[in-house]
């Protein structure tokens, strides 16, 4: 879930190396966050809503499992198509850049100078870098992809990995709110246990997410619990109202 790059920096013979730890698995974490957040929230809201309309835990479990199956497939497919689209977009832009450094060399050179101007590097200082890039067209294209277009080359297996990660995370998250209904026959008791367990899981998940991305564990935990709890409360209230009117 987390890849850390260690880059030693030495500033002299008498200094200990400075090790930098950078969090790099942003895409994987994003997929896990997407899958878990929806997996915890949607089945939780569905189970709570059904609990307000039916008295059978068995029905809640069956409906919940069906939703998890459908949701994991839909979410996984969405992740696959999104990653596939990113890869296709990168490939098309790379072909365009490869053509432009040949057909519009002067314009591309000016774009290099413009990029360096954003970092307060004048043309004289940037000229040696441009000359070096012109000697290596592949590096020139890669430089333009990164700094002009802001695009990083996706991993070759990114689409399949994204689909599996999101789907698996959705299933793992979705089973948590359904677990009490599988173990407890009384629907109301199962609902109360589901609320406690799922809100706790949401809090832990939110805290871990905040810790990983650096947004603050407490703030992230509170936001995640509030969103999940609000969705479940709205679904439960709506189901109760519709059930009372139908009766």
């Amino acid at each position: 879930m987390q890849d850390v790059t260690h880059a030693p920096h030495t500033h002299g013979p008498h200094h200990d190396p400075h090790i930098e730890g950078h969090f790099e698995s942003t895409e994987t974490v994003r997929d896990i966050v997407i899958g878990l957040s929806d997996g915890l929230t949607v089945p939780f809201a569905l189970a709570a809503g059904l609990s307000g309309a039916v008295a059978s835990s068995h029905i809640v479990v069956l409906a919940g499992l069906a939703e998890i199956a459908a949701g994991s497939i839909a979410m996984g497919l969405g992740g696959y198509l999104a990653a596939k689209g990113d890869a296709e977009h990168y490939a098309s832009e790379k072909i365009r850049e490869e053509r432009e450094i040949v057909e519009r060399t002067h314009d591309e050179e000016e774009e290099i100078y413009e990029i360096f101007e954003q970092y307060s590097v004048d043309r004289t200082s940037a000229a040696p870098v441009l000359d070096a890039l012109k000697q290596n067209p592949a590096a020139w294209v890669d430089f333009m992809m990164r700094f002009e277009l802001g695009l990083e080359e996706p991993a070759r297996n990114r689409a399949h990995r994204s689909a599996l990660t999101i789907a698996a995370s959705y299933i793992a998250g979705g089973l948590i709110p359904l677990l009490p209904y599988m173990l407890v026959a009384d629907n109301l008791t199962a609902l109360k246990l589901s609320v406690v367990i799922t809100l706790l899981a949401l809090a832990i998940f939110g805290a871990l997410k905040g810790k990983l991305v650096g947004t603050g564990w407490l703030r992230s935990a509170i936001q995640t619990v509030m969103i999940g709890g609000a969705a479940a409360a709205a679904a439960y209230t709506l189901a109760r109202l519709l059930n009372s009117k139908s009766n």
Side-chain angles (χ1 to χ4, degrees), residues 115-183:
I115 292 171
F116 277 106
E117 285 177 359
Q118 298 175 9
Y119 299 92
S120 301
V121 179
D122 58 34
R123 297 173 73 93
T124 302
S125 301
V129 179
L130 175 58
D131 292 337
L133 289 174
K134 290 173 68 176
Q135 300 300 318
N136 188 346
W140 190 357
V141 171
D142 183 64
F143 184 91
M144 300 304 290
M145 295 295 290
R146 289 170 180 263
F147 294 98
E148 181 192 11
L149 303 178
L151 298 177
E152 295 284 346
E153 183 175 9
R156 292 186 178 181
N157 62 341
R158 169 67 186 146
H160 294 88
R161 187 172 60 195
S162 177
L164 292 175
T165 301
I166 293 177
S169 299
Y170 191 94
I171 293 172
L175 289 176
I176 292 176
L178 289 183
L179 186 61
Y181 294 94
M182 298 177 182
L183 302 177

Side-chain angles (χ1 to χ4, degrees), residues 40 200-211 215-222 224-225:
L40 282 168
L200 179 61
L202 285 168
I204 295 173
F205 164 67
L208 290 175
K209 182 183 68 174
K211 189 76 172 178
T215 57
W217 66 270
L218 181 59
R219 176 186 175 186
S220 180
I222 293 174
T224 307
V225 169

